[in-house]
């Protein structure tokens, strides 16, 4: 059966339709909805009588996800003018191009703006408040509510940027933001200035810090040969962090961004190591008896949780930031690993346990009490806790089993209600979701055709795009700094 | 076990009395340990532990002696629940921290005794001429079901054969590697691999092999014996593999 709906408001219709279908379609049917930019929506039913569950996961996330993750439903329409060249220095043209592009994509990537495409924007480069004609930007086809503009010049090896954010609807005092930036004239700094300005704009218009200046740690390599790398949130400026020549994985940046904890294969198996991002040195970490995996920082940066086989069975322990003061939290037979703290409160830990055979997600208080199971079956691993404490994201294969060792998809679950939503839909095998500091984005790994890359998406599953292309990148951790 | 280096300075400074070192640890730990939020009725527990001697050659036993007060639950990491005071003989194969945790109505206190273990003299025993190939021919791997670390009946038979050989060669030490097939999550499989290695170790212990001769290492799905995506290949990769522990 194929239903086609045409119309401008296809999102609303799709949402209503999917709710209606969710209620009326019986268990055993698989529902797929794909939204297209053309505004045409096709809904196809695949009758799969043997397949249980799998219902209630339309491609477009439901309102509770968008509201809870601060993505919002109403988006400000914003235009970004190309900046006016401030000087005739030969470097100005190249670096300005990088700056313009980065600023536009930062605001676009934020996921909270309705961007005026460059082709819809007036073909002018106002360099200062005196030069901008707001009516031109407010009018069709731009219809901008906000406009970003300014000047970009290089002189004496320095970049100088004047940036403005104006409200086209406020003729009296349109200036929302006016900023000046100076930095060394090179590509990286041109990009960083754009990131800083974008984050200022996002903070001013949404009340939440942007992520344009944040970094993502990840793993490059395979098998027993892996090193930790870091890149900008948009995939630029990739560089290697560790050079240990072994298997180093599971990076976890400390809340203040100053340290990186990870697991590394040593003489006696996996052990936890801590690296200072500031001094570029490994710092002391008390190595406990047994193998250690999956470090996670408490939100105060004073404690870590990790999986340790001190007693033979891998259990969750907490310790001080230097590894001393070990406390055992779990005593469940079977694999217990991948702890993650509630970043809002620091009083709860989610983790993965195979205590009932296939791995499930559980939550406990950070002293080991009040254990509750969150997932109701399948194969659920790699929890990441949203910055506002309300959601878990994790990798889940709801139909995992010896006969169907299929792929894993990324899901989001609201902890209080335990309602969940599927964010990826069968594109490869997806694992290791990690929330951005603003709670609006999720970075994850996707394996497809034998190649594993880092991808990012909005927390409602939309706007999925790759950040790496080497086919050998995995286990991202979105750092707050 | 792995932090022999940490205390080497202290040791060389002449602090050979373990009590001094453990007292030092205790202070550090206690200062960094947040008090439990629960109601504190009664005095905080006290805990002390010593190991004699505090520096040994691998295979030599040490005596642990501990005392606690005001504690309702006392445990030593890696050993488990113990009496409120007592002595015990342990034979650490690597440098080890024995961490004593005393919990009572007044809170939790812990203390640590560090034992530095120097490697045993290189193989002077007759086993030294056993080659890795010969070892692997006699101590064969065991295999596991999908997402399981239970010892299967066929593995139990193999474990008995493996144990017989190991009992006949009492000076051989071994590393038990835990492996998983290529499916499932990388990180979860590291823990599952450890459960497999540990299950194999426990089975050998039950068959009469001393736990002091064995250590476990999980490789998760990081190292594959067979790289095809087939059932038979996956089965080959779900294993506990035994190799000689040469101390390297």
């Amino acid at each position: 059966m194929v239903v086609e709906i045409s119309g401008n408001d296809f999102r609303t219709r799709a949402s209503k339709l999917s709710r209606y279908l969710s209620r009326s379609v019986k268990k055993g049917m698989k529902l797929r909805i794909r939204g297209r930019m053309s505004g045409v929506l096709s809904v196809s039913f695949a009758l799969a009588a043997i397949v249980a569950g799998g219902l209630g996961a339309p491609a477009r996330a439901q309102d509770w996800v968008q509201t809870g993750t601060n993505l919002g439903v109403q988006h400000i329409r914003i235009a970004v003018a190309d900046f006016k060249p401030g000087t005739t220095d030969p470097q100005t043209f190249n670096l300005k191009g990088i700056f313009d592009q980065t600023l536009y994509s930062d605001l676009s990537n934020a996921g909270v703006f309705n961007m005026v495409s460059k082709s819809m924007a007036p073909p002018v480069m106002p360099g200062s408040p005196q030069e901008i004609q707001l009516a031109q930007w407010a009018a069709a086809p731009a219809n901008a509510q906000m406009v970003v503009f300014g000047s970009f010049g290089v002189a004496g090896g320095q970049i100088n940027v004047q940036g403005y954010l104006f409200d086209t609807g406020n003729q009296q005092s349109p200036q929302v933001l006016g900023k000046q930036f100076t930095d060394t004239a090179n590509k990286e700094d041109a990009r960083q200035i754009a990131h800083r300005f974008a984050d200022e704009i996002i903070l001013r218009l949404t009340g939440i810090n942007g992520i344009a200046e944040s970094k993502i740690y990840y793993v490059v390599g395979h098998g027993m040969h892996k090193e930790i790398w870091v890149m900008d949130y948009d995939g630029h400026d990739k560089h290697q962090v560790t050079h240990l020549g072994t298997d180093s994985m599971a990076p976890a940046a400390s809340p203040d961004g100053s340290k990186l904890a990870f697991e590394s294969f040593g003489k006696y198996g996996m052990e936890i190591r801590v690296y200072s991002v500031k001094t570029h040195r490994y710092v002391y970490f008390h190595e406990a008896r047994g193998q250690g995996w999956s470090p996670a920082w408490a939100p105060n940066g004073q404690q870590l949780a990790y999986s340790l086989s001190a007693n033979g069975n891998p259990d969750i322990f907490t310790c001080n930031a230097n590894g001393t003061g070990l406390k055992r939290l779990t005593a469940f037979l079977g694999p217990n690993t991948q702890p993650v703290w509630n970043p809002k409160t620091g009083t709860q830990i989610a983790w993965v346990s195979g205590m009932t055979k296939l791995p499930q997600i559980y939550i406990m208080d950070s002293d080991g009490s009040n254990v509750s199971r969150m997932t109701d079956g399948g194969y659920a691993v790699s929890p990441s806790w949203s910055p506002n404490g309300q959601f878990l994201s994790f990798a889940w294969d709801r139909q995992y089993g010896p006969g169907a060792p299929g792929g894993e998809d990324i899901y989001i679950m609201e902890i209080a209600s335990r309602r969940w939503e599927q964010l990826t839909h069968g594109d490869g095998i997806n694992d290791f979701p990690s929330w951005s500091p603003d709670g609006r984005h999720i970075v994850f790994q996707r394996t497809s055709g034998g190649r594993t890359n880092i991808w990012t998406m909005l927390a409602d599953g939309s706007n999925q795009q790759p950040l790496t292309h080497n086919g050998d990148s995995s286990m991202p951790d979105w750092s707050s700094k | 076990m792995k932090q022999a280096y940490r205390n080497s300075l202290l040791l060389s400074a002449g602090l050979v009395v373990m009590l001094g070192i453990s007292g030092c640890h205790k202070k550090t730990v206690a200062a960094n340990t947040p008090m439990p939020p629960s109601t504190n009725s009664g005095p905080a527990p006290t805990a002390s532990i010593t190991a004699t001697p505090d520096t040994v050659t691998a295979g030599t036993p040490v005596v642990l002696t501990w005392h606690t007060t005001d504690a309702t639950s006392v445990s030593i990491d890696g050993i488990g629940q113990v009496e409120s005071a007592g002595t015990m003989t342990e034979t650490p194969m690597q440098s080890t921290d024995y961490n004593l945790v005393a919990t009572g109505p007044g809170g939790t206190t812990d203390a640590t005794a560090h034992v530095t273990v120097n490697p045993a003299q290189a193989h002077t025993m007759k086993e030294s001429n056993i080659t890795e190939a010969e070892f692997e021919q006699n101590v064969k791997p065991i295999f596991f079901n999908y997402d399981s670390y239970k010892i299967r009946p066929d593995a139990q038979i193999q474990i008995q054969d493996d144990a017989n050989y190991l009992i006949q060669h009492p000076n051989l030490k071994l590393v038990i590697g835990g492996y998983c097939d290529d499916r499932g999550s990388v990180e979860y499989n590291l823990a599952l691999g450890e459960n497999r290695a540990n299950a194999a170790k426990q089975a050998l212990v039950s068959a009469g092999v001393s736990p002091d001769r064995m250590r476990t290492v999980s490789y998760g799905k990081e190292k594959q014996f067979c790289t095809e995506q087939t059932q038979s290949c996956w089965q080959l990769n779900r294993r506990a593999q035994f190799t000689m522990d040469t101390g390297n």
Side-chain angles (χ1 to χ4, degrees):
Chain A
M1 180 171 91
V2 172
V3 181
E4 292 218 329
I5 303 168
S6 304
N8 295 330
D9 196 12
F10 76 96
R11 278 185 190 175
T12 313
R13 287 179 187 219
S15 167
K16 277 180 188 156
L17 181 70
S18 72
R19 274 200 291 270
Y20 168 75
L21 290 172
S22 297
R23 279 199 299 270
S24 56
V25 175
K26 282 180 186 148
K27 203 176 180 184
M29 288 178 174
K30 203 169 181 180
L31 174 67
R32 269 197 199 146
I33 300 178
R34 286 205 187 85
R36 296 214 183 99
M37 291 312 288
S38 63
V40 178
L41 188 89
S42 66
V43 182
S44 63
F45 282 90
L47 272 172
I50 302 164
V51 180
L55 195 65
R60 181 124 281 278
Q62 292 172 8
D63 289 350
W64 65 265
V65 176
Q66 269 149 354
T67 311
T69 56
N70 298 309
L71 284 167
V73 184
Q74 300 291 324
H75 289 173
I76 295 171
R77 186 153 169 86
I78 192 166
V80 185
D82 281 348
F83 273 43
K84 185 179 182 179
T87 65
T88 54
D89 189 288
Q91 276 189 288
T92 294
F93 182 75
N94 268 344
L95 295 183
K96 191 186 88 69
I98 290 167
F99 172 87
D100 284 338
Q101 202 176 4
T102 306
L103 183 59
Y104 186 90
S105 56
D106 282 350
L107 294 173
S108 176
N109 290 340
V112 288
F113 299 121
N114 177 358
M115 301 296 291
V116 175
S117 70
K118 292 267 182 184
S119 62
M120 298 283 187
V124 294
M125 292 188 290
S128 67
Q130 292 73 35
E131 291 174 23
I132 192 158
Q133 296 172 31
L134 287 176
Q136 198 179 7
W137 295 86
N143 298 316
Q145 294 169 279
M146 292 280 165
V147 55
V148 180
F149 63 97
S151 67
F152 181 107
V154 175
Q158 293 283 108
I159 298 170
N160 199 307
V161 173
Q162 310 278 343
Y164 303 94
L165 171 68
F166 270 36
D167 179 350
T168 63
N170 188 339
Q171 299 293 336
Q172 296 300 310
S173 54
Q175 179 164 326
V176 180
L177 210 55
K179 286 275 165 186
Q180 177 171 338
F181 302 91
T182 308
D183 218 323
T184 315
N186 59 55
K187 288 179 184 178
E188 234 5 89
D189 285 328
R191 235 190 292 278
Q192 292 307 321
I193 292 173
H195 289 332
R196 291 210 293 277
F197 189 34
D199 278 349
E200 295 264 9
I201 293 167
I202 293 161
L203 175 62
R204 183 60 62 96
L205 295 182
T206 72
I208 294 174
N209 281 314
I211 50 151
E213 295 165 87
S214 65
K215 307 275 184 194
I216 294 169
Y217 289 92
Y218 63 111
V219 173
V220 174
H222 54 273
M224 294 297 287
H225 307 284
K226 300 199 191 98
E227 302 285 358
I228 314 279
W229 285 57
V230 67
M231 61 184 165
D232 287 355
Y233 94 101
D234 56 4
H236 280 102
D237 195 22
K238 298 178 169 85
H239 61 267
Q240 190 170 344
V241 177
T242 65
H243 297 82
L244 291 168
T246 178
D247 186 5
S248 299
M249 296 196 289
S254 64
D256 67 357
S258 69
K259 283 186 276 188
L260 182 73
F262 59 99
E263 65 191 18
S264 189
F265 203 88
K267 190 174 169 185
Y268 300 101
M270 278 291 184
E271 59 191 26
I272 306 298
R273 301 201 62 168
V274 179
Y275 178 80
S276 166
V277 176
K278 303 275 180 241
T279 64
H280 303 289
R281 287 194 182 152
Y282 293 94
V283 298
Y284 171 76
F285 188 82
H286 172 91
E287 287 164 26
R289 169 159 53 174
Q291 293 162 84
W293 304 273
S294 300
W297 292 92
N300 64 9
Q302 303 300 305
Q303 283 178 291
L304 283 163
Y306 68 105
S307 172
L308 177 67
S309 64
N311 307 66
N313 194 76
D315 276 302
I316 305 300
F317 286 71
T318 57
C319 63
N320 299 323
N322 66 359
T324 60
L326 268 178
K327 291 198 192 315
R328 179 175 170 178
L329 301 191
T330 65
F332 302 110
L333 273 185
N336 293 279
T337 188
Q338 297 191 290
V340 56
W341 302 72
N342 179 336
K344 182 78 174 174
T345 65
T347 59
Q348 288 175 296
I349 289 174
W351 88 104
V352 175
S353 179
M355 66 174 94
T356 61
K357 195 159 158 53
L358 283 181
Q360 303 296 321
I361 310 283
Y362 295 80
I363 288 181
M364 62 184 158
D365 288 352
S366 55
D367 62 0
S369 63
N370 286 326
V371 171
S372 61
R373 178 166 157 174
M374 302 304 290
T375 48
D376 58 3
Y379 184 106
V381 293
S382 308
S384 176
W385 207 314
S386 72
N388 65 9
Q390 291 176 29
F391 303 102
L392 289 175
S393 182
F394 52 92
W396 204 3
D397 190 334
R398 294 183 51 77
Q399 276 128 42
Y400 199 77
E408 293 168 32
D409 278 302
I410 307 297
Y411 285 73
I412 181 174
M413 179 182 277
E414 187 180 52
I415 291 162
S417 64
R418 290 186 198 194
R419 60 184 166 180
W420 48 262
E421 177 103 14
Q422 187 174 349
L423 299 181
T424 63
H425 295 268
D427 290 328
I429 297 171
N430 304 277
D431 201 353
F432 303 108
S434 174
W435 288 87
S436 64
D438 68 354
R440 289 170 176 151
H441 306 253
I442 292 171
V443 66
F444 60 102
Q445 86 172 41
R446 168 170 293 167
T447 304
S448 184
R451 296 171 60 79
T452 302
N453 279 306
I454 309 294
W455 285 64
T456 182
M457 63 183 169
L458 293 179
D460 65 0
S462 63
N463 204 17
Q464 296 181 14
Q465 45 185 308
L467 296 180
T468 68
H469 301 89
N470 67 349
D472 216 7
S473 300
S474 60
M475 293 179 86
D477 175 64
W478 206 317
S479 169
S480 56
K481 303 282 175 183
Chain B
M1 66 187 173
K2 299 160 238 169
Q3 78 287 35
Y5 358 97
R6 185 166 64 97
N7 281 326
S8 60
L9 272 178
L10 286 174
L11 287 167
S12 62
L15 273 173
V16 286
V17 182
M18 205 57 214
L19 197 59
I21 293 174
S22 66
C24 188
H25 281 188
K26 187 179 133 195
K27 244 184 253 170
T28 314
V29 170
N32 290 338
T33 306
M35 290 304 285
S38 55
T39 53
N40 286 341
S41 51
T46 65
S48 65
I49 182 167
T50 61
T52 313
D54 60 57
T55 302
V56 294
T57 303
T60 310
V62 296
V63 177
L64 300 178
T65 306
W66 67 95
H67 295 281
T68 63
T69 60
D70 301 305
T72 51
S73 165
V74 180
S75 65
I76 299 175
D77 288 354
I79 294 170
Q81 293 290 327
V82 293
E83 296 295 320
S84 59
T87 61
M88 173 184 287
T89 303
E90 276 280 296
T91 311
M93 295 316 294
Q94 290 112 21
S95 295
T96 301
D97 270 0
Y98 291 99
N99 189 34
L100 175 73
V101 180
T103 304
T108 297
T109 304
D110 64 358
T112 303
H114 179 76
V115 177
T116 302
V117 177
N118 296 316
Q121 296 303 307
H123 308 279
T124 50
M125 309 87 170
K126 61 180 181 196
E127 275 84 5
S128 62
N129 52 16
I130 290 176
T131 64
E132 189 67 48
E134 192 180 336
F135 180 87
E136 283 182 22
Q137 213 158 32
N138 287 286
V139 188
K140 289 182 181 154
I142 59 168
F143 298 93
F144 293 87
N145 282 346
Y146 173 81
D147 252 303
S148 165
Y149 59 93
K150 276 212 179 88
I151 304 291
R152 302 193 308 217
D154 62 322
Q156 188 54 52
I157 293 166
Q158 183 60 53
I159 284 285
Q160 199 54 57
D161 289 349
D162 293 345
N164 290 343
Y165 180 85
L166 291 167
I167 290 164
Q168 284 161 25
H169 300 80
N171 291 314
L172 278 181
K173 294 193 171 66
L174 63 155
V175 180
I176 307 173
Y179 297 82
C180 303
D181 72 33
D182 195 34
R183 299 168 296 174
S185 185
V186 165
E187 205 57 13
Y188 183 73
N189 277 334
L190 281 170
L192 178 62
E194 178 67 356
N195 278 104
R196 285 182 177 158
N198 197 47
K201 179 181 170 182
Q202 296 309 322
L204 284 174
V205 169
S206 299
V209 182
S210 164
D212 299 339
R213 298 169 60 189
M214 298 180 270
R215 63 184 173 96
T216 59
V217 172
S218 175
Y219 289 93
K221 60 188 252 188
E222 306 298 285
K223 255 185 170 178
Q224 301 278 295
F225 291 85
C226 183
T227 54
E228 288 159 45
Q229 298 295 311
T230 61
Q231 287 293 346
S232 58
C233 222
W234 288 327
Q235 174 62 88
L236 279 176
N237 287 331
R238 294 192 301 266
R239 68 167 76 188
Q241 175 82 20
F242 307 103
T243 51
M244 278 198 290
D245 189 356
T246 54
N248 295 319

